[in-house]
Amino acid sequence: MPLHDRILDHFQASAQTKLDAAAALAPAIEQAARHLVHCLAQGNKILACGNGGSVTNAQHFAVAMINRFEQERPGLAAIALAADASTMTAIANAHHFDQIFARQVKAIGQPGDILMVISASGHSASVLHAVAAAHARGMPVVALTGRSGGGLAEQMQEDDVFLCVPAESAARIQEVHQLIIHCLCDAVDSVLLGVEE
């Protein structure tokens, strides 16, 4: 296949995956946004984590909360748990890599905070341990995943929001995760700034 056609195929596949996800996930994205708004309005914080490509989405979300998304507003409390390399490597060295997020959740997570986890496969051990730690601390979880949802699907509880992208390709799933994060950021701003219709 010519390279030009491969590039067009990527654009078309991405667009179709996003349209499929919109139909399947819009109500759950709204539910997640309302959870985030309630958390922030109560003076709590959002902890976000993921591995590999998903860590960049978690960091992007935290930056948009702390700094701004598309509108000026006061900063909102969010922490990307993979942003501190010294903490992560210390935990991995002293304990085990699969504890890098859970140990941070246990240390700084409080009831009323929210844990946002991002895993294309839903099988990342470090993310699964973080969810267990959040539940033990009385924290609800917003989970972004794909495929079948993996182990994350089995961990979800009543107050959690499960956003599982209906796709198999990790690239397509991560692209939709970024769009979901943008939707969440926009929704939070819309509600907090009073522009929701």
Side-chain angles (χ1 to χ4, degrees):
M1 175 185 294
L3 191 56
H4 180 267
D5 291 346
R6 291 183 66 84
I7 292 167
L8 290 177
D9 282 351
H10 281 291
F11 273 86
Q12 291 167 352
S14 182
Q16 188 60 56
T17 303
K18 288 172 182 169
L19 290 172
D20 293 344
L25 298 178
I29 294 170
E30 179 179 354
Q31 180 187 10
R34 294 194 184 282
H35 276 33
L36 297 178
V37 167
H38 179 75
C39 167
L40 295 166
Q42 297 300 311
N44 296 109
K45 63 189 172 295
I46 303 162
L47 307 179
C49 65
N51 292 295
S54 295
V55 75
T56 59
N57 279 333
Q59 290 174 325
H60 180 60
F61 171 79
V63 167
M65 291 289 100
I66 292 170
N67 185 33
R68 66 187 289 272
F69 180 54
E70 292 188 323
Q71 301 180 66
E72 289 299 333
R73 53 144 168 80
L76 302 172
I79 301 169
L81 298 180
D84 184 349
S86 58
T87 295
M88 285 182 45
T89 55
I91 294 168
N93 186 55
H95 300 279
H96 193 277
F97 184 84
D98 65 11
Q99 295 298 311
I100 59 171
F101 303 133
R103 195 158 176 89
Q104 293 180 75
V105 170
K106 291 173 187 175
I108 61 176
Q110 297 294 324
D113 291 346
I114 289 178
L115 176 66
M116 177 185 287
V117 296
I118 309 170
S119 172
S121 69
H123 291 301
S124 300
S126 60
V127 168
L128 298 176
H129 284 287
V131 170
H135 287 155
R137 301 283 292 164
M139 297 169 55
V141 173
V142 173
L144 282 67
T145 188
R147 300 181 183 139
S148 68
L152 275 177
E154 299 167 11
Q155 285 186 295
M156 293 295 96
Q157 297 182 355
E158 185 177 346
D159 290 338
D160 297 337
V161 182
F162 186 61
L163 300 166
C164 186
V165 178
E168 293 294 322
S169 163
R172 300 292 86 85
I173 293 166
Q174 289 173 346
E175 289 162 5
V176 176
H177 284 173
Q178 187 172 53
L179 180 56
I180 290 170
I181 287 166
H182 288 166
C183 290
L184 292 172
C185 293
D186 177 72
V188 167
D189 284 1
S190 296
V191 174
L192 292 180
L193 297 174
V195 297
E196 179 189 24
E197 297 198 20

